[in-house]
Amino acid sequence: NSKLDGDGIRVFGRPPLNLVLVLDVSGSMNQPFSGSTGSKISVAKDCVLAILSQLKPDDAFGIVSFNDMTEVLQPLVSLSKMNQSAFKELLAGVIAKEALKWELVSDLIIHNTANQDHIYFYLGYQAAAQQFETHTEIEKEGRLNRIMFLTDAVPSTTEDEQLRKYCAEWGAKNVHTTFVGIGVDFGVQVCLCV
């Protein structure tokens, strides 16, 4: 329990927030969202915009996308210094895509063996955590520090131990992790391990 439970947040207000979103852009995010004509990725992007609209000028925001690779879409920066129009334009162009599966053919040659979807939550986590390490100008003390995944959590790899390790390591640094499920087929096994 804290002073922010129940009516506390209304009475005391929310502390400043440092938030790094981790957006799943794997191929499964192209599937239609149940009961809607839109895809899971379109719903996830709407969620990003809704979250952004709730932030205050003294909050800090960043976002990375992940699949079999990561991309920093918006480095962690104070909202008062962020070009929100440019970010919204960039976000509109984000698409979900099938990951490449590479196989070593010889010592020197690799090739794509399938269009099978492979996503790696630990890569997304590393990229998000790196935002907290890299952007030392962002104050962390006395603030809420969060990494938030927006994902359907349909993994093709088992990474339970790695995720537990990252969550524990960063939790000890006062950076806490949240998984937000996108779609009714949300793969809870990934979150249960955390």
Side-chain angles (χ1 to χ4, degrees):
N1 290 335
S2 77
K3 71 178 186 179
L4 300 180
D5 289 343
D7 288 335
I9 197 128
R10 195 170 342 152
V11 173
F12 296 101
R14 175 179 58 76
L17 173 67
N18 297 328
L19 175 65
V20 178
L21 296 179
V22 187
L23 179 63
D24 183 349
V25 293
S26 64
S28 62
M29 293 290 284
N30 279 324
Q31 296 172 354
F33 194 79
S34 181
S36 170
T37 57
S39 64
K40 290 188 249 180
I41 191 66
S42 66
V43 170
K45 292 192 299 185
D46 288 346
C47 289
V48 171
L49 295 175
I51 290 167
L52 189 59
S53 73
Q54 297 294 312
L55 298 179
K56 301 174 185 175
D58 62 340
D59 292 330
F61 175 80
I63 183 171
V64 298
S65 64
F66 80 104
N67 189 353
D68 61 334
M69 298 180 287
T70 62
E71 181 180 358
V72 176
L73 301 175
Q74 170 62 56
L76 184 63
V77 65
S78 171
L79 211 64
S80 63
K81 296 179 181 175
M82 181 180 162
N83 183 338
Q84 290 191 41
S85 297
F87 170 73
K88 289 174 184 177
E89 190 173 312
L90 174 76
L91 183 66
V94 170
I95 58 169
K97 52 195 169 290
E98 298 294 326
L100 298 177
K101 182 180 178 187
W102 298 97
E103 182 177 282
L104 187 63
V105 175
S106 71
D107 288 342
L108 300 173
I109 302 169
I110 57 175
H111 75 278
N112 184 4
T113 58
N115 286 329
Q116 183 178 354
D117 206 17
H118 283 266
I119 62 169
Y120 300 94
F121 290 92
Y122 76 92
L123 290 176
Y125 206 110
Q126 284 177 332
Q130 189 174 28
Q131 292 301 303
F132 284 97
E133 288 179 333
T134 306
H135 298 283
T136 55
E137 74 280 3
I138 301 294
E139 182 62 42
K140 293 174 190 66
E141 292 300 316
R143 299 172 69 88
L144 301 174
N145 299 291
R146 298 287 185 269
I147 292 173
M148 181 184 292
F149 280 79
L150 298 173
T151 179
D152 61 0
V154 179
S156 56
T157 61
T158 54
E159 344 177 45
D160 297 0
E161 195 54 44
Q162 194 69 43
L163 277 175
R164 267 196 290 277
K165 176 184 167 229
Y166 284 139
C167 289
E169 176 184 337
W170 283 92
K173 297 177 183 179
N174 197 33
V175 177
H176 302 284
T177 307
T178 302
F179 283 83
V180 176
I182 306 292
V184 295
D185 58 344
F186 177 66
V188 296
Q189 68 278 6
V190 172
C191 301
L192 290 175
C193 83
V194 180

